[in-house]
């Protein structure tokens, strides 16, 4: 595979973005709006690289009746710039549905509609993104003992190429989590791939599904499979007595406010832990109360009619999964009695959440210049910039992977517009752009230096 290295005339981007999910789409929009205000001489130059062939955000979970858990006002821009042409309301106007949405009297759009909004917004800034390009490494460009730039190696169908940047913003998202010892397969799925895999069952007559998990995605999967396959039994397995309702009350929702990030960041470690314990039920392993009620109503109706297809194996856990070409056997153990039950199923779906990827794992030797705390976590400043050794002058900003420093909104949509505004402000205030500190001078060696 060929490799192209930056040469004398290669541009140095003020910012390179790794990943182009909602967070970095919002970043691209903030840059676009800033550049439109200040003019060409003060513009911030940026480019983003995304390994997917096109924009996509949890496509495998876009169940037709699933709704967002956050208000449409927490879109990519509104909390930062309420007059932005990139808002959800502008999207509705463009799609001809603004009046219909207003009449709907609902703050929470369908998830498939919000995904369409994200695609619409991403398309408006697609001149600054290269899809089908995977960042595979980052190396420092060192001059006189100081890291002046970061060289980002990108792999695409054309080969390898290296792009140079003054700053990085990392928005690589989350990774599907499976229980230890369980691997995905033809009949063992993670819920993130539900809709991309379920069509494989068309033309067959599945008799049983097992869904593992107690959160919103698990409950949505149970409801969807029960509706999609009217002859099949759907077994929900979780260690609780029942699904726990999400706390979306007005006071609890303040944990998602921008001011809450300031307070969380400044709080001692023991207070941070308590806040997460207190308010984890706003987001983690909880289910919308309406969906809980719908599932209970359906289960009770089936019990009355003697046609029980919806089964809840509560206070239980799945202890073993054995996949075969024609099915999968799931072993479920009661946490009360210890009794084990084998369930032969067509598919087992694990709605077991996501893990944050190591936010600086892709940085290679640059990561060695980013000191960790006593728990091995990356240290992050209030402006989402990683703490680095003084010799590293480049800024590395994180969109995600900062829950330990910035709180529960680290990887959520709730604070996305404010966060990208703060990152942009940091770039400008630190003078980390060409407009603030002109840099590129050819040094005669085929590299760009100062």
């Amino acid at each position: 595979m060929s490799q192209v290295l930056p040469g004398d005339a290669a541009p140095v981007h003020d910012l390179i973005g790794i990943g182009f999910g909602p967070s970095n789409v919002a970043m691209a929009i903030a840059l676009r709006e800033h550049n439109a205000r200040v003019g060409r001489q003060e513009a911030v130059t940026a480019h983003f690289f995304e390994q997917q062939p096109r924009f996509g955000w949890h496509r495998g979970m876009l169940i037709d009746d699933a709704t967002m858990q956050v208000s449409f006002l927490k879109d990519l821009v509104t909390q930062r710039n309420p007059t932005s042409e990139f808002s959800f309301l502008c999207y509705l106007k463009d799609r001809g549905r603004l009046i219909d949405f207003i009449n709907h009297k609902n703050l929470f759009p369908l998830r498939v509609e919000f995904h369409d909004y994200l695609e619409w917004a991403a398309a408006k800034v697609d001149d600054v993104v290269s899809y089908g390009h995977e960042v595979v490494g980052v190396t420092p460009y060192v001059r006189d003992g100081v890291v002046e730039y970061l060289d980002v190696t990108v792999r695409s169908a054309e080969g390898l190429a290296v792009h140079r940047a003054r700053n990085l913003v990392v928005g690589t998202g989350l990774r599907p989590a499976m229980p230890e010892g369980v691997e995905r397969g033809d009949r063992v799925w993670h819920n993130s791939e539900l809709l991309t895999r379920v069509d494989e069952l068309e033309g067959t007559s599945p008799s049983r599904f097992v869904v593992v998990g107690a959160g919103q995605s698990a409950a949505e999967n149970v409801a969807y499979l029960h509706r999609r396959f009217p002859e099949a039994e759907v077994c929900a397995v979780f260690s609780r007595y029942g699904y726990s309702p999400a706390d979306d009350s007005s006071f609890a929702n303040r944990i998602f406010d921008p001011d809450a990030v300031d307070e969380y960041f400044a709080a001692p470690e023991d207070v941070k832990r308590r806040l997460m314990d207190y308010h984890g039920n706003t987001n983690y392993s909880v289910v919308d109360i309406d969906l809980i009620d719908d599932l209970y109503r359906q289960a009770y109706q089936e019990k009355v009619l003697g046609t029980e297809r919806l089964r809840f194996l509560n206070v239980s856990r799945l202890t073993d999964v054995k996949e075969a070409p024609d099915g999968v056997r799931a072993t479920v153990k009661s946490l009360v009695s210890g009794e084990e039950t084998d369930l032969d199923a067509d598919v087992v779906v694990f709605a077991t959440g996501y893990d944050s990827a190591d936010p600086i794992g892709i940085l290679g030797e640059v990561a060695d210049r980013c000191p960790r705390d006593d728990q091995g976590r990356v240290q992050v400043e209030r402006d989402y910039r990683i703490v680095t050794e003084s010799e590293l002058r480049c800024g590395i900003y994180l969109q995600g992977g900062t829950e330990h420093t910035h709180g529960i909104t680290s990887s959520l949509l709730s604070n996305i517009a404010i966060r990208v505004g703060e990152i942009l402000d940091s770039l400008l205030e630190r003078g980390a752009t060409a407009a603030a500190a002109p840099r590129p001078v050819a040094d005669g060696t085929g590299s760009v230096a100062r």
Side-chain angles (χ1 to χ4, degrees):
M1 184 175 283
S2 63
Q3 182 170 11
V4 180
L5 297 175
D8 292 353
V12 180
H13 297 289
D14 292 326
L15 183 69
I16 282 181
I18 302 176
F20 203 61
S23 291
N24 272 348
V25 172
M27 188 78 246
I29 292 170
L31 291 168
R32 176 66 54 85
E33 293 181 338
H34 166 78
N35 290 347
R37 288 193 303 270
V38 301
R40 185 173 181 180
Q41 293 301 315
E42 298 178 61
V44 178
T45 61
H47 200 80
F48 298 81
F49 297 99
E50 169 57 51
Q51 66 181 28
Q52 294 186 103
R54 60 192 176 106
F55 179 85
W57 178 67
H58 298 303
R59 286 186 177 276
M61 298 170 60
L62 299 179
I63 297 172
D64 52 10
D65 63 346
T67 58
M68 297 294 293
Q69 275 73 58
V70 297
S71 165
F72 72 89
L73 293 171
K74 294 185 174 183
D75 59 17
L76 300 175
V77 294
T78 296
Q79 292 187 97
R80 175 182 57 81
N81 177 15
T83 64
S84 173
E85 65 182 87
F86 294 88
S87 71
F88 183 76
L89 291 179
C90 287
Y91 154 80
L92 288 174
K93 180 68 174 177
D94 186 66
R95 290 288 196 257
R97 293 198 306 271
L98 179 58
I99 303 304
D100 295 327
F101 186 86
I102 293 171
N103 290 336
H104 193 37
K105 300 180 181 179
N106 197 333
L107 289 172
F108 307 101
L110 290 168
R111 193 178 298 154
V112 67
E113 181 178 33
F114 202 80
H115 187 277
D116 189 56
Y117 157 67
L118 295 174
E119 285 187 294
W120 172 87
K124 287 178 171 291
V125 290
D126 64 2
D127 58 317
V128 296
V129 60
S130 295
Y131 291 106
H133 285 63
E134 179 186 7
V135 174
V136 295
V138 178
T139 55
Y141 175 81
V142 182
R143 182 176 176 82
D144 298 330
V146 173
V147 179
E148 295 281 0
Y149 307 109
L150 295 173
D151 287 340
V152 180
T153 303
V154 181
R155 179 168 55 209
S156 68
E158 290 74 38
L160 293 177
V162 179
H163 303 263
R164 185 159 287 172
R166 297 182 177 87
N167 304 276
L168 298 181
V169 58
V170 182
T172 50
L174 302 172
R175 302 289 182 267
M178 296 289 284
E180 186 176 354
V182 178
E183 298 291 336
R184 284 190 272 180
D186 291 340
R187 295 182 178 274
V188 178
W189 304 345
H190 186 270
N191 69 277
S192 61
E193 56 186 339
L194 177 71
L195 295 186
T196 59
R197 300 295 301 273
V198 76
D199 287 342
E200 299 171 6
L201 301 177
E202 282 297 327
T204 67
S205 300
S207 59
R208 178 182 284 151
F209 294 91
V210 175
V211 179
V212 181
Q216 180 72 22
S217 295
E220 288 177 355
N221 282 205
V222 168
Y224 172 78
L225 292 169
H226 184 267
R227 180 176 71 249
R228 172 81 182 263
F229 299 97
E231 304 300 320
E233 179 180 275
V234 181
C235 301
V237 179
F238 44 77
S239 58
R240 307 178 182 190
Y241 267 98
Y243 297 116
S244 298
D247 184 357
D248 62 353
S249 59
S250 300
F251 285 112
N253 273 344
R254 287 181 171 176
I255 194 69
F256 302 109
D257 288 356
D259 287 348
V261 178
D262 290 327
E263 294 163 352
Y264 191 94
F265 186 84
E269 281 299 317
D270 62 322
V271 175
K272 285 184 169 74
R273 287 193 295 271
R274 284 204 298 272
L275 286 172
M276 292 300 294
D277 290 342
Y278 291 152
H279 296 293
N281 66 342
T282 59
N283 185 64
Y284 298 116
S285 298
V286 289
V287 181
D288 286 346
I289 188 64
D290 290 344
L291 180 53
I292 294 175
D293 290 343
D294 287 344
L295 287 172
Y296 191 89
R297 188 181 302 113
Q298 182 67 49
Y300 184 77
Q301 177 182 324
E302 291 182 357
K303 184 172 286 189
V304 170
L305 299 176
T307 57
E308 296 181 60
R309 291 195 300 115
L310 193 54
R311 294 177 57 194
F312 295 95
L313 285 70
N314 60 353
V315 200
S316 301
R317 64 185 180 92
L318 190 143
T319 58
D320 193 27
V321 180
K322 289 186 172 64
E323 186 175 3
D326 58 347
V328 57
R329 172 163 289 187
T331 302
V332 178
K333 181 178 181 179
S334 167
L335 298 178
V336 175
S337 67
E339 179 182 356
E340 292 191 336
T341 303
D342 289 332
L343 298 173
D344 290 320
D346 296 87
V347 172
V348 176
V349 182
F350 285 89
T352 44
Y354 294 82
D355 292 328
S356 292
D358 182 350
I360 61 173
I362 200 169
L363 300 184
E365 62 183 280
V366 175
D368 297 335
R369 300 173 182 267
C370 305
R372 306 272 185 149
D373 65 16
D374 56 6
Q375 298 183 50
R377 302 172 303 190
V378 64
Q379 299 180 57
V380 189
E381 299 180 57
R382 175 59 186 86
D383 58 1
Y384 299 95
R385 178 170 164 147
I386 292 176
V387 175
T388 63
E389 296 176 351
S390 59
E391 293 80 10
L392 178 55
R393 294 183 178 176
C394 305
I396 304 171
Y397 295 86
L398 298 183
Q399 300 229 58
T402 60
E403 189 172 274
H404 62 293
T405 53
H406 290 68
I408 201 168
T409 60
S410 169
S411 59
L412 304 181
L413 291 172
S414 294
N415 209 29
I416 193 170
I418 299 294
R419 181 170 64 245
V420 299
E422 291 174 341
I423 292 173
L424 175 56
D425 288 345
S426 174
L427 287 170
L428 299 173
E429 290 167 4
R430 290 174 181 265
T433 67
R439 295 180 185 263
V441 176
D443 67 358
T445 64
S447 296
V448 178
R450 191 175 74 170

